[in-house]
Amino acid sequence: MVRSVFHLDSGLLNGLTGFIAPAVSTVVGLSFARIDPRRAMTVGIYASVAGAVGIIGGVFAGNLTVMIIGQAVAGVGFGSFSAALRLIFPLAAAHQRAGVVAGIYVVSYVAFGVPIVIEGQLVGPLGEIPAVVCYTALTVLPALISLFAQTRMRRGA
């Protein structure tokens, strides 16, 4: 997107946009270890939505800095994955945890992989920006559903 949307031919900026979300995610994942997992997960859901909005906002505004900030915020959301694991692990018996982790990772990779493959296929017929908007909608919708579910669970507790 750095080249095609922002018309900048920079390997450094391309690398930065691919690096920022996973880097923030790593730091946040370690930092969230000390925070209540339900709270950390809720923060992560909000961050996922805000980050996606920031990415799209940067694309529509033609502002690479806003897009990179959106990616960093989205990285906070991805970093909350460890909080979800901390909520699930106590529910599984010790001898079942390996299978639970394997199942979680299979679902996670499918959930990350399928939408980006669909987005890649939409670039040709729709164009890059509309395809990115569709991808963002595919990521924001489940995040909002998760946020709604978290809110209902918190009220029920």
Side-chain angles (χ1 to χ4, degrees):
M1 286 188 24
V2 170
R3 188 177 319 119
S4 60
V5 173
F6 297 102
H7 310 293
L8 299 170
D9 190 18
S10 169
L12 178 64
L13 290 175
N14 273 328
L16 178 66
T17 59
F19 168 80
I20 193 74
V24 169
S25 171
T26 300
V27 172
V28 168
L30 294 171
S31 301
F32 276 13
R34 294 180 175 88
I35 297 174
D36 171 64
R38 177 111 21 231
R39 178 180 296 267
M41 196 167 67
T42 302
V43 167
I45 295 168
Y46 278 113
S48 294
V49 172
V53 169
I55 292 167
I56 290 300
V59 168
F60 280 136
N63 189 322
L64 180 61
T65 303
V66 171
M67 186 188 85
I68 291 172
I69 291 169
Q71 289 176 318
V73 173
V76 172
F78 188 67
S80 69
F81 179 72
S82 62
L85 294 176
R86 288 189 295 138
L87 286 171
I88 293 170
F89 283 162
L91 302 175
H95 69 280
Q96 295 174 327
R97 288 188 183 151
V100 169
V101 170
I104 289 169
Y105 274 95
V106 167
V107 170
S108 296
Y109 280 109
V110 169
F112 289 125
V114 171
I116 198 67
V117 169
I118 293 170
E119 190 265 343
Q121 295 301 311
L122 291 175
V123 168
L126 298 180
E128 190 159 3
I129 293 175
V132 170
V133 170
C134 289
Y135 175 80
T136 302
L138 278 174
T139 58
V140 168
L141 181 62
L144 291 174
I145 291 168
S146 295
L147 187 60
F148 177 74
Q150 289 299 316
T151 304
R152 291 201 59 183
M153 286 173 57
R154 194 171 32 249
R155 286 185 188 152

